[in-house]
Amino acid sequence: MTVACVGKGGSGKSSVITNLAVAGLDAGFKVGIIDADPQQSAYLWNRVRTRGDIPVCRSDPAALGPLIDSARRAVIELTFIDMPPDLRQVPIAARYADLVLIPMRPTLFDLKVTHSLIRILDSVGCSYAVVLNAAPPIREFGESPMVRDARTALKDVSPRLWQGQITNRVTVPHATVRGSGVVEFEPAGPAAREFRSLWAAVSKSLKLEGANREYV
Ligand SMILES: Nc1ncnc2c1ncn2[C@@H]1O[C@H](COP(=O)(O)OP(=O)(O)O)[C@@H](O)[C@H]1O
Ligand SMILES: [Mg+2]
């Protein structure tokens, strides 16, 4: 199975990819990452990680096909693709991914890009989901007005909008700078809970069998 992240620069593609890969590994799956963004964030993260438990390959988006095939031959169950922000590359991700994730901050600029991405992904007919990232925290009165506004702006695609959120927390970059995912770095913390919940939604959408299904 293959999951790709597309979206605006700074929306959280690399953070979502690395954290989901770690959550998948933690759930007992053999995971790998293809870093198709010239910024090479996931590749750098893995160099800091040094554990060698998540292979990360760099690739031009145009060369994804053979790399995905070799990941399958290496019995990698889940390949995560970190795409560049360039919208012209999105159809390539759609061609290879079983699920495309669109992380977005609940801001006007991100919303504009997300609407463009939705048009592209709808036109090629692929499975995708929007993930609100770096969102203001949920308080006792519920989601923040920014998140509610973003959900309203996305009401036409509400079945494809993940019901949860990844909150803006310093734990996320802190885990990254250590080459970790939040589920390793602070397993009992709220960021880990959110990423486990996102992992659960992704594995349900992909109908993943085996490994530690009770993980969630
Ligand atoms: N949920 C979050 N909380 C706090 N910081 C975040 C969160 N998600 C991303 N960031 C930070 O925002 C910046 C951009 O995220 P990144 O994953 O590199 O985005 P992209 O790959 O889409 O360009 C990074 O510094 C990252 O650590
Ligand atoms: Mg990135």
Side-chain angles (χ1 to χ4, degrees), residues 162 164 192-202 216:
W162 180 48
R193 194 172 60 241
E194 290 175 353
F195 269 105
R196 280 198 196 98
S197 168
L198 179 59
W199 161 257
V202 167
V216 182

Side-chain angles (χ1 to χ4, degrees), residues 18-37:
T18 52
N19 277 287
L20 279 182
V22 169
L25 180 76
D26 202 37
F29 289 89
K30 206 169 167 199
V31 302
I33 298 176
I34 300 176
D35 190 346
D37 186 346

Side-chain angles (χ1 to χ4, degrees), residues 13-14 37 39 41 82-83:
K13 296 179 294 299
S14 303
D37 186 346
Q39 288 190 354
S41 303
D82 194 5
M83 290 295 291

Side-chain angles (χ1 to χ4, degrees), residues 4-11 13-14 17 34-41 59-62 64 81-93 100-101 103 113 117:
C5 258
V6 302
K8 188 177 171 303
S11 60
K13 296 179 294 299
S14 303
I17 285 283
I34 300 176
D35 190 346
D37 186 346
Q39 288 190 354
Q40 302 190 356
S41 303
S59 170
D60 188 275
L64 280 174
I81 309 174
D82 194 5
M83 290 295 291
D86 183 354
L87 295 190
R88 290 168 301 183
Q89 311 287 357
V90 172
I92 300 180
V100 174
L101 295 179
V113 175
L117 287 164

